[in-house]
Structure formats: structure tokens, C-alpha cells
Amino acid sequence: MTTGPTYEIAIIGGGIMGCATALRVAAGGMSAIVLDQGDLGQGASGVNAGTLSLQIKRVKLMPYALKGHHCWEEMGDTVGFAKTGGYTLAFNAREAEMLHERQTLKSNAGAPIEFVSNNQLRAAEPNLTHKVEAASFCPEDGYANSSLTGQYYRGKLRDAGIPYREGCAVTAIDQGDGFTLTTPQGPIRANRILLAAGAWLKPLAALLDVDLPVNARVNTVSVTERLQPLMSSVIGHATGLLTMKQKANGTVLIGGGWQGRGTPQDGRGTVDADTVRPNLALAQYAVPALSAARVTRSWTGFEANVPDFYPLAGALPGVPDAFVLGCVRGGYTIGPYISQLMGDHILGREPEMPLFDPGRDFEKDTI
Amino acid sequence: MIRLVPNHATRIKRSETVTFTFDSEPVQGHLGETLVAALMRAGHLNLREAPNDSAPRGAFCCMGLCQECAVIVDGQVVEACRTVVSADLVVERA
Amino acid sequence: MSDLNDIAVVGAGPAGGNAALVAAQSGARVVMLDEQPAPGGQVWRGKTASILLAPVTPETTAGNGLRSALSESAATHLADTRVWDILRNGDHWSLQILRNGATEQITCRSLILATGAREYVQPIPGWTTPGVIGLAGATSLFKQTLSLPGKRTVVSGTGPLVFFVASEIRRLGGEVAAVITPNTRADWARATPSMIGQPKLLARGALWMADLILARVPILWGHAVSEVEGRDHVTGIKTINLKRGVAGLSFATDSLCLGNGLIAQIEAAQMLGAAIRYDPSLGGWVPVADPDGATKVDGLYLCGDGCGIRGAAAAALQGTLAGARAARDLGFSAPSPPVRPWQRAERFGRAMTALSIPHADAHALTTQDTIVCRCESLSRRDISTEITTGATSTNAVKSGKRAGMGPCGGKYCQTAIAALIAEQTDKSTSDVPPPTPRPPLRPVPLGQAAGDFDYDDLPIPKPAPL
Ligand SMILES: Cc1cc2nc3c(=O)[nH]c(=O)nc-3n(C[C@H](O)[C@@H](O)[C@H](O)COP(=O)(O)OP(=O)(O)OC[C@H]3O[C@@H](n4cnc5c(N)ncnc54)[C@H](O)[C@@H]3O)c2cc1C
Ligand SMILES: Cc1cc2nc3c(=O)[nH]c(=O)nc-3n(C[C@H](O)[C@H](O)[C@H](O)COP(=O)(O)OP(=O)(O)OC[C@H]3O[C@@H](n4cnc5c(N)ncnc54)[C@H](O)[C@@H]3O)c2cc1C
Ligand code: FES
């Protein structure tokens, strides 16, 4: 069986992680191809809530998130970036305590988070409920429009001369003198591979007999029709279970990681009304005027996770020249930056910040 | 002129007319008919402005799907084609 | 309302209504839900309370028949009830329904979807002008309120509906400026053999046509409306002779009824996992179901125009088949009605659908500046550019341009967008499925979806790890 060219790297998965890494390695002179089973940016990267919030990032990931914010700011209008600042709200004493504890740690980790008084809050966001017990603010917070991920990276890949194939699921990987990938569009050969398959990493790694402890979360997002201006910054909840912003076009996007149904192997997941309803209730509690707003769509996306909730970024254990990047909590925010680190690692350069060994012991606190 | 399809207009008996307001203007409609029917009869075809190009829009599908007839009643966006006329109804542009 | 029903039927048209009747007759506990105030569906839509007295039409008679049978039946009918989400929960289905301004949940062991059709309107310049309404949509104005879209109306579109609408306008005292149909007389001649079995419908159609001719209403065969004039409201239309590609007559008018056939409302079936296939003779994408409505999804049955455009007669017969099948599968002793009558009716229905589907030239009517996605005011050029730069699926175009993210949820743009994708990427339309359907099935006010709640009772899960 003869094939086309042998690429220096084949990247499996055309989400943010895959596409952004492709751009980095290609900039370093490596010939790359990106393969996606569906369309580019139709996985988590294209359906997420788009929140760029330091206030909901994990403490140890803060340096990465700060860098990630700068990447998004540079992408600017083409990805619908807006730095609006964000408020995180606590509605009772228990949540206020949680807010103080968490935001203090995050602030110590470098996020410019401050606590704000009720008066400040009301002046800034007059449509918020008056039942706020405590609130924090981060001027760096904002959002981008995840729907544009596919469009954005398609253009970038094309500009960089990086081929990509859509509708090109990798169903088998043969090793020996590089890698040969089986796809519906014929075999593809490459010297290296990067597994960037998001919530599909486990079955993909299994093609190489590697067991990655990846599970999928089924996050839900809802959106309203266009509304009069109701809020000007990103609104969050102390538990992280509400993220909300009003886009320039007037629609309000409501997320917070409420769980839907389904598995990545089986379609695009299903919204569960039993979790959407409390998510919407929380939004309405924060901004009572939302009550009359019509919800036009709720949807789900699959986000990958490992037991210690830290990224997988580095060499795939036991398979020379194979790499893995995924499972990043807040991966939309951090994705463009951690992909640069990953790309540098693949290019044989020392990344600016440490990666996250995919072969670590997940039961221990190793990060 | 011979008509094979008879004109039934005169044989239709409708409920009393009531007055409601659309965009602060009084409009007459028959109690219980759809807002769209009353607004069309009164010549109010232009119900809203489209986003982006601000072009005028009016009822289109007449079955509650297209959302082109969206208006506001009691602070709530509703489809005019699925809302019923009553006296003193206050209908605003969405 | 929390009690488990044996069968829930979504849609109270000829299909859903008959499904509910036969299932209830077998002893099953049946609930039927519809967003309309009365049963009847699109074809037999009931009148609003504003009509105190009116001459009877065949639609009134048929609708009244169904309504009175249902009111005597043990089936519970929930009117003015919108189903906005459906989910499988273990061995039953849970339906989120919006009723009296609040969300309630209904559960059932088996589910029959009889959601019917909506219409396809080929985008043409000016079709967003107030005063342009759907051709099928016009019939719902007539049926509900016996009112007219304007004083002088152009009626344009495919299939038999164009003549029905023109005739109804005349019956209700309006003036028809012209009838414009892309169909040719030859199209109709070809369809005649399949109409022989439906002499009543044939006679009715002949009467409409003869009346229009006697009244000297211009009938433009093989023509389409190429442009609508007017800004705040319709003032006139231009036509094109499709065969010769030259301009036809223009007409002054204050309203236009415009349609190009029907498409099945498949979103609910799709959401629940029913496979879909492309069949133009059934109106495009349809869910896969047996003649008696059974699907590969456990406890899910489909019937009527919602699983392929076959017309009201076939819908009613398939409703009976599906209701009986669903009841039998649950162990009730329901009849096994013969499939033959449905097959005969569907042959006629398919012939009408074949006449109604957009003409091959139809897409050329959508000029580069024509709005394709009404909700977001996106032109054909906007969509085409997105396709040219690499968006080759309806989901990708939706993500990139918001086409399908507006309040209608893509119901009125996706057919045209799929055709553009197919044309520009040399794919067959059958390789361009509609985008992933998502709830709510209709826009729902947030407060009515959330319902009353106490903050302290919200089931807020454990926060994310620090
Ligand atoms: C606007 C319109 C007008 C038509 N007029 C005619 C006509 O005059 N003559 C003719 O022969 N054919 C007509 N048709 C064709 C029509 O499809 C008929 O063939 C027939 O009505 C089909 O019957 P059905 O029971 O399958 O669906 P329908 O009669 O369409 O019934 C489906 C029912 O489901 C309900 N429904 C759907 N989704 C939901 C939901 N989420 N929640 C609650 N309720 C829901 C709808 O309100 C509707 O009453 C029309 C179609 C349309 C779209
Ligand atoms: C609903 C939701 C909301 C979220 N909200 C936020 C937020 O507000 N802020 C934030 O920072 N993060 C958020 N996230 C997280 C963030 O979206 C993800 O961490 C990030 O997008 C992951 O990117 P990825 O490239 O690893 O995965 P994906 O974008 O999922 O990409 C993986 C790709 O691999 C492809 N693929 C899989 N298997 C194969 C195969 N065998 N062959 C070929 N291709 C394959 C898939 O089709 C997919 O396109 C959210 C996630 C979800 C799901
Ligand atoms: S006219 Fe389409 S929703 Fe009312």
C-alpha cells in the first residue's frame, strides 16, 4: 500500500490543542497535518462557554491561565475576544467563606483578584440581585466566542500551509518506521504523532495499547435570544457552577459545568433538563430580569478529565515519538498557551513552563 | 360573474371588536382572534426590526415557529400568531 | 401530572389524534399534547373564539370529527402545551412541557411523535418584507380566523396548495392578483395517474382551477416570483419564466403567499436518536420508521408528516397504525389495522410532494444579496463565503456565521444552506445532514423553564477542585 507524503508529525484532533500545536510546530519548521473525525473546532473547543476567567482557574494552573489570556487578547476580534472584567458572587455565608478562601489563594498565585463592596458591585452591574453576600472582581476576565474556533483555526492552518482533513477519523495506528494511521481517507504516514483528541483520548490511546485514565464530563451551556443590555461583565458563582456573560449581540450565554448525558463515543451528548433547570435558576437568581428572557438553545460538549484534574501534556508513556495533549480544565483559556509549550517540546526545545507528564501517578499529588 | 367558489365573507359572524394598543397606537380586533390577524387587518404588517440590518419584518410562518412576529406583552416576548386579542391588551415592539 | 402514562402523543393533528384515539381505546392511559388550542393539526386547525358562525368546509368537518371523537375518548388532551424537551429516563420518557406559563414534567412508557411539517420557502430578494407569508402559513390564517393576508394577494408556490390558497382567498372575499407556480401543466399531467384513486380531492382541485380561470385570475405556469418590492410592506412582485430564464409579468400587490413544499419536523425524533435519511419525495430529511411507526429506538414511534410528507389522509391512517402498534407493544389488546389503505394514501401523498418540492431552478432565485437566514439577516453571500473558506457542514456554517443560532433555531434556513453547501462542495444533498438538533424545541422563557425555586434547594453540586 503506497501513501502520500510522510509528515514529520500527524496531529490527531482538530480542537484548540491540536490546531494550536500544529501552528507552533510548523512555525518551528516541522511538516504537520491535522486530522479530525468531524469538522475542526466542533468538539469541546467549538461548543464551550468561552469564559476566560482567572477566578475559576485552578491555583496551580494560574501562570498558564495568565499566559493564555494574553494569547486570546492577541487573537482579538477574530475570535470575539472581549476583556470585560468579571464578578464572582456568593449568595450566603457559606459561599462567602468559600469565595474568600479560594480567591485569596488565586490572588496569591498571581491573579489580580480583589474583593468588592456591594455598592461597587451595584454601580457596575445594576441588574444584579441585591442578595449578594460577597463578591470578587478580576479585571483580566472576559470571554471569547468559541463558535469561531473552527473558522479561526481553519484560516490559520491554511495561511500557514498546514494541511488538515475533516471527516477523517483515525481508527488504527501502526508503528514501525514511523506511524501509519488508518483513516477513511486512506492511510496517513508520519514520523511522530500527537494525540489531541480531547474527550476521545482514551479510545485513541488504546489503539496504541496505552491506557490513559481519561474520563469525559458532559458540560451544558444555554443561550438566550438577543436582549437589552443586562450585564457588562462576566458573572460567576463562588462554586464555579454559574458562568454568564452577555455577548455584544445581546445574547446571554449561561454555563457552569452542569452535567448532561451521553458518551463521546456516541453522538454529541444530550442535555438533561434536570440539570439545565437549576443552572437557569441560578442565572435568574443572579440577574432576576433574565426571567423573561427566552432560552433558544441548550447544548452539551465533552470535556476530558483525569483523576487529578491536571492536564496531560508530554510524551505518551511507552510509545517513542508519540505525544499527548489534553484534559486541561479551563482548556479553552489555557489551550493556546499550553499548545505552544507542547509544540516547543515536540520541536526538542525547552518549554517556557513545565509540561504535565502523562505517565505520572494520578493517585498521588505529583503536580 | 359566475363564481364556482362562493364568497363567504358576508356569512361569517365574528365576535365583538375590542381595542388594544400596538406600539402605543389603538388597534381594533375581534375578541379571541390572533394578534397577527388583527394587526394585518389594521395594516400593521411591520412588527419588528431585524438584527444587523434593521430591516422591517412581520409575521411569516403563522404557526409559531419562525419568531418573526415576536412582540412583547406584559414584559414577555410572545409570538403574535399564537397570542389572542383581548380588550386593553398592551402590545409593544420586541 | 407526575403519574406515569402508558403513552404520550406529541401532536394532535390527523396523525397524533388518531394515534391517541386507538391507543386509548385499547385501554392504555394516553396523554396527547399540542401547542395549538384545539386538536386538528395544521390541516384541520380549529377556529379561534372570534368566529361565532361560518360556513362549513371539508376541513372544518374533518377537524370537528376528530375533535369530537377525541373529546369522547379517554385520552387526556393537553392543549396550548408546548413540549420543549424529551429525555429517556430508565424505562420511561420524561417530557418537559410548557403550560399556563410554567414548566411541568410528563412521563410515559412509550412515546408517539406526530409533530407534522413546516414549510420550505425558497429565499428570494425581498422575501423578508412584511406582507410576505408562507403559503401553508396562509392556510392557518384562514382556518383560525377566516382572515386575509391583504386586500390583493399574489399566491405563489408549488403543488396543489397554491390553488387551495388562491381559492380560499376568494372564498373569504379577497382578491387574488395572480397565481404563480413553478410547476408546469406537464408536471400535473404526470401526477394525474396517482390522483385517480382520490376522486374527491381531484374534483375539488378542478373546481378551484376552473373558478380561478372564470374569474380571469392570471395563472403563470412554469414561473416563480423573482423579487418582492416594497420596504415596510409589499407593494409588488416580479416574476421569472423558469424555462426561458426571462422576466415574466409583474404585479402590484399588498401581500404575497409564498411556499415551496413542506419539510418534516424531525428535530424531536432526531434528538431521541432516530436515524434519519434523505428522501426528496418525502420532503427531504426524514426519520427512519416502519409503516406502523416503530423505530429502532425502544418505545419511540413516529407517524404522520413528521416522518415524511405524505399528506393528511396518510397521516390519519398512519396515526392509527402507530397508536395500535404502540399499545400492542405495551401488552394492550389493540387491533392490527391493515397497511394497505395507508400505502394507497401515501402514493397520492408522495405524488403531491413530488409536485411540491422545490423546482430544480429554485436555488438560482436566491441571489447573492438575498437574506437566507432571517433571524441573523445573513445573505447568500455571507453563507457562501463561509463555505468557500472551508465550512463544509451545516454545523460548521452555523458555528461560523450563527446561521441557525437565532430564535427560529434554523427551521427556516437550513434547507437552503444545505443546498448551498452541496452545490459549492460538489456533494450530494444527501451528504449534507441538518445541524445537531438541540432543545428547547421552541424558545422558552427562562423563568418558565427554571420554574419556582428556593435558592437553598438548588441542587448545586460540589465545586470544581481548587
Ligand atoms: C402551516 C401548514 C398548513 C397546512 N395546511 C394544509 C392544508 O390545508 N391541507 C392539507 O392537505 N395539508 C396541509 N398541510 C400539510 C400537513 O402537513 C397535513 O398533511 C397534515 O396536517 C399532517 O398531519 P400530521 O398529524 O402529521 O401533522 P400536523 O397536522 O402538522 O400536526 C402536528 C401537530 O403537532 C403539534 N406539535 C409539533 N411540535 C410540537 C411541540 N414541540 N409541542 C407541542 N405541539 C407540537 C403541532 O401544533 C401540530 O398541531 C399544512 C402544513 C402546514 C405546515
Ligand atoms: C460545554 C463546555 C464548556 C466549557 N467551558 C469552558 C470555558 O468557559 N472556559 C474554558 O477555559 N474552558 C471551557 N471548557 C473546556 C475546553 O473547551 C476544553 O478544555 C478544550 O476545548 C479542549 O480542547 P481539545 O482540543 O483538547 O479538545 P476538543 O476541542 O474536544 O478537540 C478534540 C478533537 O479530536 C477529534 N477526535 C477525537 N477522536 C478522534 C480520532 N480518533 N480521529 C480524529 N479526530 C478525533 C474530535 O473530533 C475533536 O474535534 C468547556 C468545555 C465544554 C465541553
Ligand atoms: S409568524 Fe412565525 S412565529 Fe408567528
Side-chain angles (χ1 to χ4, degrees):
Chain A
M1 193 163 38
T2 55
T3 56
T6 298
Y7 297 92
E8 286 175 272
I9 185 164
I11 294 173
I12 308 168
I16 288 193
M17 305 298 171
C19 292
T21 307
L23 292 172
R24 187 70 165 193
V25 295
M30 210 175 249
S31 71
I33 184 169
V34 178
L35 312 172
D36 201 290
Q37 60 188 3
D39 292 330
L40 295 190
Q42 286 288 329
S45 303
V47 302
N48 67 67
T51 313
L52 306 172
S53 167
L54 297 176
Q55 298 187 76
I56 54 175
K57 289 299 163 302
R58 301 195 65 187
V59 171
K60 285 182 182 163
L61 293 180
M62 199 58 73
Y64 301 83
L66 279 160
K67 292 278 192 176
H69 273 236
H70 293 139
C71 296
W72 284 105
E73 195 158 3
E74 273 166 28
M75 292 184 255
D77 278 349
T78 49
V79 291
F81 173 81
K83 192 189 319 198
T84 56
Y87 291 93
T88 302
L89 314 177
F91 295 130
N92 57 35
R94 186 175 41 83
E95 290 168 5
E97 195 182 324
M98 184 194 297
L99 187 73
H100 272 102
E101 182 201 349
R102 295 187 150 224
Q103 305 307 58
T104 305
L105 286 170
K106 290 176 191 190
S107 167
N108 294 343
I113 300 173
E114 61 199 71
F115 293 95
V116 291
S117 72
N118 260 335
N119 284 347
Q120 282 171 294
L121 185 64
R122 271 179 218 168
E125 295 289 354
N127 291 310
L128 280 184
T129 172
H130 288 187
K131 296 174 190 155
V132 177
E133 182 83 19
S136 59
F137 178 71
C138 176
E140 283 297 308
D141 288 0
Y143 60 83
N145 181 356
S146 74
S147 301
L148 298 177
T149 301
Q151 185 195 64
Y152 175 81
Y153 280 111
R154 243 183 255 122
K156 284 286 166 190
L157 293 178
R158 203 179 319 103
D159 291 349
I162 304 169
Y164 65 83
R165 303 236 181 119
E166 299 183 314
C168 192
V170 174
T171 53
I173 305 176
D174 284 325
Q175 299 176 64
D177 191 21
F179 298 89
T180 305
L181 312 180
T182 305
T183 80
Q185 300 180 22
I188 287 165
R189 291 192 42 84
N191 298 329
R192 300 173 192 77
I193 53 172
L194 170 67
L195 313 187
W200 295 262
L201 271 174
K202 193 182 175 74
L204 184 61
L207 299 178
L208 290 161
D209 292 322
V210 177
D211 184 26
L212 289 178
V214 176
N215 55 58
R217 285 169 51 82
V218 193
N219 294 346
T220 309
V221 185
S222 300
V223 68
T224 69
E225 66 185 320
R226 288 175 160 84
L227 308 171
Q228 298 302 311
L230 280 178
M231 61 197 89
S232 53
S233 37
V234 173
I235 306 295
H237 185 250
T239 58
L241 288 151
L242 172 68
T243 65
M244 173 160 72
K245 62 259 180 201
Q246 187 164 23
K247 300 294 196 61
N249 67 15
T251 61
V252 173
L253 209 58
I254 299 165
W258 293 75
Q259 295 297 289
R261 307 248 192 110
T263 65
Q265 284 70 41
D266 198 14
R268 285 175 61 125
T270 311
V271 165
D272 184 345
D274 288 340
T275 56
V276 170
R277 295 180 67 193
N279 190 185
L280 298 178
L282 200 52
Q284 184 191 339
Y285 191 80
V287 177
L290 277 174
S291 171
R294 297 192 307 169
V295 177
T296 50
R297 214 158 2 99
S298 296
W299 66 94
T300 50
F302 295 111
E303 181 186 29
N305 241 328
V306 290
D308 66 3
F309 298 109
Y310 285 107
L312 297 181
L316 184 69
V319 186
D321 296 322
F323 303 89
V324 56
L325 173 59
C327 309
V328 189
R329 277 226 123 167
Y332 183 68
T333 311
I334 297 175
Y337 179 66
I338 201 168
S339 297
Q340 293 179 5
L341 302 181
M342 188 74 224
D344 288 345
H345 177 71
I346 293 169
L347 289 166
R349 301 173 184 164
E350 183 62 30
E352 189 179 46
M353 277 194 232
L355 289 170
F356 297 82
D357 180 11
R360 66 183 176 266
D361 182 349
F362 292 94
E363 303 310 319
K364 298 213 183 84
D365 188 5
T366 55
I367 305 290
Chain B
M1 203 193 304
I2 317 169
R3 289 184 65 120
L4 296 179
V5 170
N7 182 346
H8 281 170
T10 51
R11 294 173 53 197
I12 299 164
K13 202 164 160 246
R14 296 177 201 269
S15 59
E16 63 188 282
T17 51
V18 294
T19 304
F20 62 95
T21 62
F22 172 64
D23 204 15
S24 307
E25 262 186 62
V27 180
Q28 304 255 298
H30 293 281
L31 186 66
E33 72 180 344
T34 59
L35 264 179
V36 154
L39 289 167
M40 272 185 184
R41 197 181 303 111
H44 288 287
L45 300 179
N46 174 356
L47 303 182
R48 54 189 283 271
E49 262 182 21
N52 302 328
D53 64 359
S54 304
R57 295 290 175 84
F60 175 65
C61 74
C62 304
M63 61 183 286
L65 297 180
C66 73
Q67 307 303 317
E68 292 280 33
C69 68
V71 292
I72 297 179
V73 173
D74 281 339
Q76 180 65 61
V77 175
V78 296
E79 297 115 353
C81 67
R82 296 185 72 244
T83 304
V84 162
V85 169
S86 59
D88 303 327
L89 197 68
V90 177
V91 184
E92 297 158 280
R93 286 179 184 272
Chain C
M1 222 36 81
S2 61
D3 298 7
L4 183 64
N5 293 282
D6 292 316
I7 295 175
V9 182
V10 181
N18 281 292
L21 281 177
V22 67
Q25 225 154 40
S26 76
R29 183 183 154 157
V30 178
V31 62
M32 178 181 69
L33 314 119
D34 199 297
E35 62 188 330
Q36 294 191 33
Q42 301 303 347
V43 59
W44 305 329
R45 191 179 266 273
K47 296 180 178 59
T48 58
S50 65
I51 304 301
L52 306 179
L53 199 70
V56 169
T57 66
E59 281 74 29
T60 331
T61 312
N64 287 345
L66 181 68
R67 285 183 280 272
S68 73
L70 281 165
S71 69
E72 281 158 28
S73 134
T76 307
H77 171 222
L78 300 184
D80 284 318
T81 299
R82 280 191 145 168
V83 178
W84 63 265
D85 192 22
I86 309 174
L87 196 65
R88 186 82 188 180
N89 269 326
D91 61 355
H92 66 268
W93 300 99
S94 303
L95 289 73
Q96 307 295 325
I97 65 171
L98 195 61
R99 230 180 134 231
N100 301 324
T103 291
E104 296 171 25
Q105 189 159 306
I106 292 253
T107 55
C108 62
R109 295 161 69 198
S110 290
L111 176 68
I112 301 179
L113 296 177
T115 48
R118 62 174 172 264
E119 66 186 313
Y120 176 65
V121 182
Q122 183 68 41
I124 57 169
W127 73 309
T128 53
T129 312
V132 180
I133 63 170
L135 185 63
T139 73
S140 87
L141 274 182
F142 308 151
K143 291 166 201 165
Q144 279 183 297
T145 55
L146 307 180
S147 63
L148 294 165
K151 298 200 166 57
R152 180 181 149 88
T153 307
V154 170
V155 183
S156 173
T158 44
L161 202 56
V162 72
F163 297 104
F164 176 55
V165 169
S167 158
E168 283 293 279
I169 290 174
R170 285 184 39 76
R171 185 175 74 85
L172 297 172
E175 181 190 348
V176 178
V179 172
I180 293 150
T181 178
N183 296 127
T184 59
R185 269 171 282 215
D187 292 342
W188 275 99
R190 268 193 299 278
T192 311
S194 45
M195 303 190 310
I196 301 296
Q198 304 283 342
K200 272 193 205 143
L201 294 175
L202 201 57
R204 224 179 146 202
L207 181 92
W208 299 334
M209 199 94 78
D211 173 68
L212 291 167
I213 292 167
L214 273 176
R216 296 177 196 270
V217 172
I219 301 178
L220 277 63
W221 301 93
H223 280 63
V225 177
S226 57
E227 192 178 333
V228 182
E229 294 167 325
R231 178 164 164 88
D232 287 349
H233 57 88
V234 176
T235 55
I237 59 114
K238 292 180 178 165
T239 68
I240 179 170
N241 178 325
L242 290 169
K243 192 165 167 211
R244 288 199 250 127
V246 295
L249 295 173
S250 298
F251 295 91
T253 181
D254 64 7
S255 45
L256 168 67
C257 304
L258 185 67
N260 298 82
L262 303 175
I263 50 185
Q265 302 226 58
I266 65 173
E267 291 76 14
Q270 249 184 306
M271 261 165 43
L272 302 183
I276 58 168
R277 68 192 169 92
Y278 185 75
D279 184 344
S281 77
L282 290 175
W285 289 96
V286 293
V288 178
D290 294 342
D292 65 3
T295 68
K296 294 252 158 41
V297 181
D298 217 21
L300 178 67
Y301 304 82
L302 310 172
C303 55
D305 277 4
C307 61
I309 309 302
R310 298 175 171 95
L317 291 162
Q318 198 178 25
T320 304
L321 289 168
R325 171 70 193 262
R328 284 200 310 276
D329 287 355
L330 287 177
F332 294 95
S333 63
S336 294
V339 181
R340 278 294 299 278
W342 174 76
Q343 285 166 335
R344 270 198 299 273
E346 91 134 8
R347 212 168 306 136
F348 172 75
R350 275 188 193 247
M352 293 303 107
T353 302
L355 276 171
S356 306
I357 55 179
H359 209 259
D361 309 319
H363 294 293
L365 298 171
T366 307
T367 62
Q368 290 297 329
D369 291 322
T370 304
I371 298 291
V372 169
C373 162
R374 300 175 68 106
C375 295
E376 297 291 324
S377 304
L378 296 167
S379 68
R380 172 173 178 161
R381 180 177 291 105
D382 295 327
I383 308 285
S384 285
T385 308
E386 191 64 14
I387 300 168
T388 311
T389 54
T392 57
S393 69
T394 51
N395 275 322
V397 170
K398 176 175 165 184
S399 295
K401 296 308 290 184
R402 291 186 54 82
M405 291 191 184
C408 94
K411 294 185 179 70
Y412 289 91
C413 63
Q414 288 304 326
T415 305
I417 289 172
L420 288 175
I421 293 173
E423 185 184 301
Q424 287 182 237
T425 60
D426 265 335
K427 284 188 197 169
S428 136
T429 319
S430 58
D431 290 327
V432 189
T436 315
R438 292 298 192 181
L441 292 162
R442 306 282 185 271
V444 186
L446 188 147
Q448 295 178 17
D452 292 337
F453 63 91
D454 259 332
Y455 182 76
D456 295 327
D457 294 340
L458 287 180
I460 295 179
K462 212 167 80 229
L466 244 179

